[in-house]
Amino acid sequence: MPRHRFTQADVAAMAGVSQSTVSFVLNGNAPIGVRISEETRNRVLEAIRITGYSANPVAQRLAGGRNQILGVFTYEKTFPRGGRDFYGGFLNGIERAAEQLGVDMLLFTSARVVDGRRRLTRDGWQRLGLADGCLLLGQREDQSELQHLLDTNYPFVFIGKRVSEGGRLPYVGADYVEATARQVGRLRALGHTRIGYVGPQGADQASIDRIDGYTRAMRADRLPLRFVDMHDAQAGADEIVERRLTAILVAPEQSPDEIVDALGQRGVRMPDDVSFLLLGQSHHLRQRDVSWSGFTVPREEMGARALVLLSRIVDEDSRAASDSRSRLDDADLHQMLPCPDVDGTSLAPAPISERTHP
Amino acid sequence: MPRHRFTQADVAAMAGVSQSTVSFVLNGNAPIGVRISEETRNRVLEAIRITGYSANPVAQRLAGGRNQILGVFTYEKTFPRGGRDFYGGFLNGIERAAEQLGVDMLLFTSARVVDGRRRLTRDGWQRLGLADGCLLLGQREDQSELQHLLDTNYPFVFIGKRVSEGGRLPYVGADYVEATARQVGRLRALGHTRIGYVGPQGADQASIDRIDGYTRAMRADRLPLRFVDMHDAQAGADEIVERRLTAILVAPEQSPDEIVDALGQRGVRMPDDVSFLLLGQSHHLRQRDVSWSGFTVPREEMGARALVLLSRIVDEDSRAASDSRSRLDDADLHQMLPCPDVDGTSLAPAPISERTHP
DNA sequence: GGGCATAAATAATGCGCATTATCATCTTGA
DNA sequence: TCAAGATGATAATGCGCATTATTTATGCCC
């Protein structure tokens, strides 16, 4: 039999006051018309100290309050499997922030899985209510789900840029556009002009932004775009050789190893003949010992910032009634973090031949 | 304004019955004296289908029911940091099981940190009540905390063997004793006799069990024990050379790399001169490319089994009143999983010289 | 036709808290 | 002197559900 834990009523009895008084003391913010004298306040606090009382988070939540739980919903499986780690970095940052904020993390592992992806269905949706708010991670969110989120005014934050829904989706993203353009700059500075791009051309924001950054930077320098199809590593390698590319920007979905292998078979060496810049960390857990140049996505920082933002949104919501003006502006709600460069061993100056005959 | 979600009362109204009837239909188990006709039952179910009703887990919990949340408490930080990954494998298995059981995972990241370790203090303790039960991971649990857990009858399961508290702590552990003894057997079969042990001699169960397995196996073969102090890698390497050891069992807390390096400097090669068997996976995230022989701890399996066990305990508890006999016996409550051998490149037959002159 | 099981359900209660409405007791000012 | 505030609190309510106690038919036996 679960022994009775101290409740506000217990504390109240000990302090000789009513339960509501205890609640007011605890929450600090007594509504207009309710006042607690300093003397009573102290008696209550003393009783709390003695009993070691702490609020039952379930009851808090049911009564419409906050319960210091923030949820994490991932559209794919949360933990690394099959050699791919999508969320590790983010979770790290989230945990760090959660610790600092003093909140617990709820992973929605119960959500129904459809086509290998978790869905926020009607029943799954209701479970979100367990937490004060929720972080959303992953690519394949569903339009109707988003609409529902917005409709119900449930606090949430995306990790990763989201432009749909008229910019009403709060997110913390990585600035792929700027970072990718910057990589082109690095290559230009080393004399490269024949710069290719390898990566998916999908509709996900990361792909769009990387390609955008590549396209803009190349156009600004009046260089021709060279998209290499790496569906087949051998054919792709042939194409790279044929077009005499001296540098490749590689999206992390693509395993750069294979390309390097295929090029190696053709006598083309990395980085002397072809430089590689990786546009973010590889998702593949086991990489070989190559240290790639390129940029990294500040995943930890993104996770931490997202949780902090979510926490702020939750706070705002709870005092929305009393304090009309929202303190969260567009810059808070839509954060783009810079992606720092990485200096590895896959970047070298363009071959002399290319520099003399561009 | 969070739009009103469907409640049992809504469903009841639609079906023309009372809220309690809906509750009974949902839970299936109407108490003695309460009966619901098939016809009413169907009407309720139909209303549930139409509304898409699903229970509010918070209310469920407050009312003393279960809410399909299982907690995970780690004494160290949950996610990998500082190059060490303590829990990754476990979490993987836990998540898999959670998905199958249809429960959400709550990570108690809010617990107060004392001396770099999370503590289950009075306030942290109350928060456990958010979940139906909780898994405990990590080494440094506190005696009084354990007592409290037992006193309150809160459902929990340890990951990792626990022998204290008179065997009343449920756990899922790895059989280090058998696995370590088996490693001695592998070495014996290859002609080794001068077998050393490198690892902490602490009071944690894993160390105790590994040393126990080593000691027993060596004694059974009437071989002398050789504990090597690796506090200083150089001194340790000297000792290995001096004692002419041909094989070393290494606990994973110890980084085997350093030992091999130190030995290499003395012209002693792995595995030709000295074989190494690793007693479990290394916690160090970045290892070099050596593939160690030894055994692995089935962490995923442990995590999954522990969650399943926890779930069963929770279920038992809820029907403890009606069904007096407990269906969980000692073998359920104290599971030891075998640790499969790993064939790497660090194991070789004993040098000829040692075989002829043992 | 009164007592009495049985069937089929509902009403009522409480979980622990936040919040709203309400109530006493003092001041003041005119 | 008495209404109008101000002060300091309490009582009451409801969140959504599980559970216990109670009620209302209906058939059946003697």
Side-chain angles (χ1 to χ4, degrees):
Chain A
M1 55 200 67
R3 210 190 11 252
H4 180 72
R5 303 209 274 268
F6 286 105
T7 70
Q8 287 189 353
D10 298 326
V11 174
M14 176 173 294
V17 298
S18 70
Q19 175 262 320
S20 9
T21 302
V22 175
S23 178
F24 291 137
V25 167
L26 277 164
N27 294 336
N29 59 346
I32 337 210
V34 173
R35 328 208 39 163
I36 310 288
S37 71
E38 195 59 23
E39 198 263 322
T40 306
R41 227 180 81 82
N42 287 334
R43 248 184 318 137
V44 170
L45 289 175
E46 176 63 6
I48 289 174
R49 205 189 54 69
I50 293 173
T51 54
Y53 167 84
S54 91
N56 178 331
V58 173
Q60 270 183 314
R61 186 72 185 153
L62 185 62
R66 308 292 155 187
N67 67 0
Q68 305 295 93
I69 295 182
L70 294 179
V72 176
F73 184 89
T74 60
Y75 284 93
E76 289 86 21
K77 288 186 188 296
T78 310
F79 297 112
R81 199 146 334 149
R84 283 156 171 271
D85 181 9
F86 288 111
Y87 303 122
F90 298 126
L91 289 173
N92 243 308
I94 295 171
E95 187 193 18
R96 176 158 52 83
E99 215 161 66
Q100 270 162 13
L101 293 169
V103 303
D104 291 320
M105 287 170 57
L106 184 60
L107 306 186
F108 292 101
T109 43
S110 71
R112 183 149 8 128
V113 175
V114 180
D115 295 335
R117 288 212 149 63
R118 295 215 178 99
R119 293 290 303 273
L120 243 32
T121 47
R122 284 197 295 205
D123 40 329
W125 154 243
Q126 166 110 262
R127 299 210 112 230
L128 288 188
L130 281 164
D132 293 339
C134 185
L135 294 183
L136 282 327
L137 285 80
Q139 291 305 329
R140 299 282 188 85
E141 71 272 8
D142 183 279
Q143 204 68 15
S144 65
E145 291 171 8
L146 295 187
Q147 194 53 55
H148 196 41
L149 278 176
L150 286 167
D151 285 351
T152 53
N153 208 32
Y154 180 81
F156 67 96
V157 169
F158 272 99
I159 292 192
K161 181 172 153 189
R162 292 295 189 290
V163 294
S164 63
E165 308 301 322
R168 289 182 300 151
L169 304 177
Y171 63 78
V172 174
D175 195 344
Y176 278 107
V177 178
E178 192 275 335
T180 304
R182 208 175 54 224
Q183 303 312 306
V184 173
R186 291 174 83 179
L187 292 169
R188 292 286 289 137
L190 290 173
H192 292 272
T193 56
R194 312 181 70 84
I195 303 171
Y197 182 98
V198 171
Q201 314 232 2
D204 63 292
Q205 197 61 46
S207 292
I208 292 173
D209 286 355
R210 283 185 299 234
I211 290 175
D212 188 23
Y214 169 67
T215 306
R216 286 198 203 183
M218 295 296 277
R219 291 230 172 102
D221 284 350
R222 309 196 168 282
L223 296 175
L225 302 177
R226 326 256 191 177
F227 290 99
V228 181
D229 179 12
M230 266 294 163
H231 192 74
D232 173 3
Q234 298 303 328
D238 284 338
E239 192 178 339
I240 291 172
V241 173
E242 198 172 299
R243 290 188 174 182
R244 294 189 299 137
L245 302 183
T246 65
I248 308 283
L249 301 184
V250 193
E253 290 87 345
Q254 193 75 40
S255 172
D257 295 327
E258 297 175 15
I259 312 178
V260 172
D261 280 347
L263 285 177
Q265 290 166 15
R266 289 158 180 72
V268 178
R269 298 289 153 205
M270 187 275 285
D272 309 290
D273 302 320
V274 179
S275 288
F276 282 83
L277 289 180
L278 192 58
L279 308 175
Q281 299 94 322
S282 169
H283 291 151
H284 300 262
L285 232 42
R286 313 196 143 269
Q287 325 181 29
R288 70 182 55 179
D289 243 353
V290 177
S291 111
W292 300 101
S293 300
F295 66 80
T296 62
V297 179
R299 293 191 184 156
E300 273 216 28
E301 185 66 15
M302 287 170 73
R305 292 251 209 154
L307 199 73
V308 170
L309 172 57
L310 178 59
S311 168
R312 289 187 59 197
I313 291 180
V314 169
D315 285 351
E316 289 300 322
D317 277 16
S318 61
R319 62 177 162 219
S322 53
D323 191 354
S324 62
R325 75 241 140 103
S326 172
R327 307 178 150 282
L328 292 167
D329 58 18
D330 187 75
D332 293 316
L333 261 20
H334 304 117
Q335 299 183 32
M336 292 297 273
L337 269 40
C339 300
D341 277 346
V342 172
D343 282 319
T345 58
S346 64
L347 173 63
I352 302 290
S353 58
E354 285 305 322
R355 271 183 275 178
T356 46
H357 310 292
Chain B
M1 55 199 65
R3 212 194 3 256
H4 179 73
R5 305 208 273 268
F6 286 105
T7 70
Q8 288 190 352
D10 298 325
V11 174
M14 175 174 295
V17 298
S18 71
Q19 175 261 320
S20 8
T21 302
V22 176
S23 178
F24 291 136
V25 168
L26 277 164
N27 294 338
N29 59 345
I32 336 210
V34 173
R35 326 206 42 161
I36 310 288
S37 70
E38 196 59 23
E39 198 264 323
T40 305
R41 225 180 81 83
N42 287 333
R43 247 183 321 135
V44 171
L45 289 175
E46 177 63 7
I48 289 174
R49 206 190 53 70
I50 293 173
T51 54
Y53 167 84
S54 90
N56 177 331
V58 173
Q60 271 182 315
R61 187 70 185 154
L62 185 62
R66 308 291 155 189
N67 66 179
Q68 305 296 90
I69 296 182
L70 294 179
V72 176
F73 184 90
T74 59
Y75 284 93
E76 289 86 21
K77 287 186 189 295
T78 310
F79 298 111
R81 197 142 341 145
R84 283 155 171 271
D85 181 11
F86 289 112
Y87 302 122
F90 299 125
L91 289 173
N92 243 307
I94 295 171
E95 187 193 18
R96 176 159 51 83
E99 214 160 68
Q100 270 162 14
L101 292 169
V103 303
D104 291 321
M105 288 171 58
L106 184 61
L107 305 186
F108 292 101
T109 42
S110 71
R112 185 158 0 136
V113 175
V114 180
D115 294 336
R117 287 214 148 61
R118 295 213 178 100
R119 293 291 303 273
L120 242 33
T121 47
R122 284 195 299 202
D123 37 331
W125 154 244
Q126 168 111 263
R127 297 211 112 229
L128 289 188
L130 280 166
D132 293 340
C134 185
L135 294 183
L136 281 329
L137 285 80
Q139 290 307 329
R140 299 284 187 84
E141 71 271 10
D142 183 278
Q143 203 69 16
S144 64
E145 289 170 9
L146 294 188
Q147 194 53 55
H148 197 42
L149 278 176
L150 287 167
D151 286 350
T152 53
N153 207 34
Y154 179 80
F156 67 95
V157 169
F158 271 100
I159 292 191
K161 181 172 153 191
R162 292 295 189 288
V163 293
S164 63
E165 307 302 321
R168 288 182 300 150
L169 305 177
Y171 62 78
V172 174
D175 195 345
Y176 279 107
V177 178
E178 193 276 333
T180 304
R182 206 175 56 223
Q183 303 313 305
V184 174
R186 291 175 82 180
L187 291 170
R188 291 286 288 137
L190 290 173
H192 292 272
T193 55
R194 312 180 71 83
I195 303 170
Y197 182 99
V198 171
Q201 314 233 2
D204 63 290
Q205 197 60 45
S207 292
I208 291 173
D209 286 355
R210 283 185 299 235
I211 290 175
D212 188 22
Y214 169 67
T215 306
R216 288 198 201 182
M218 294 295 276
R219 291 230 172 101
D221 284 350
R222 308 196 169 283
L223 296 175
L225 301 177
R226 325 258 190 175
F227 290 98
V228 181
D229 179 11
M230 266 293 162
H231 192 73
D232 174 2
Q234 298 303 327
D238 284 338
E239 193 177 340
I240 291 172
V241 173
E242 199 173 298
R243 291 185 172 183
R244 294 189 298 137
L245 302 184
T246 65
I248 308 284
L249 300 184
V250 192
E253 290 89 343
Q254 194 76 40
S255 171
D257 295 327
E258 297 176 15
I259 311 178
V260 172
D261 280 347
L263 285 176
Q265 290 167 15
R266 288 158 181 74
V268 178
R269 297 290 152 203
M270 186 273 285
D272 309 290
D273 302 321
V274 179
S275 288
F276 282 84
L277 289 181
L278 192 57
L279 307 175
Q281 297 93 321
S282 169
H283 291 153
H284 300 264
L285 232 42
R286 313 196 143 269
Q287 325 182 28
R288 71 181 58 179
D289 243 354
V290 177
S291 110
W292 300 101
S293 301
F295 65 80
T296 61
V297 178
R299 293 191 184 157
E300 273 216 29
E301 185 66 16
M302 288 170 72
R305 292 251 209 154
L307 199 73
V308 170
L309 171 57
L310 179 59
S311 168
R312 290 186 59 196
I313 292 179
V314 169
D315 285 350
E316 289 300 323
D317 277 16
S318 61
R319 62 175 162 223
S322 52
D323 190 354
S324 63
R325 74 241 141 102
S326 172
R327 306 178 149 282
L328 291 168
D329 58 18
D330 188 73
D332 293 316
L333 261 20
H334 304 117
Q335 299 182 32
M336 291 298 272
L337 270 40
C339 299
D341 276 348
V342 173
D343 281 319
T345 58
S346 64
L347 173 63
I352 303 291
S353 58
E354 286 305 322
R355 272 184 274 178
T356 45
H357 310 290

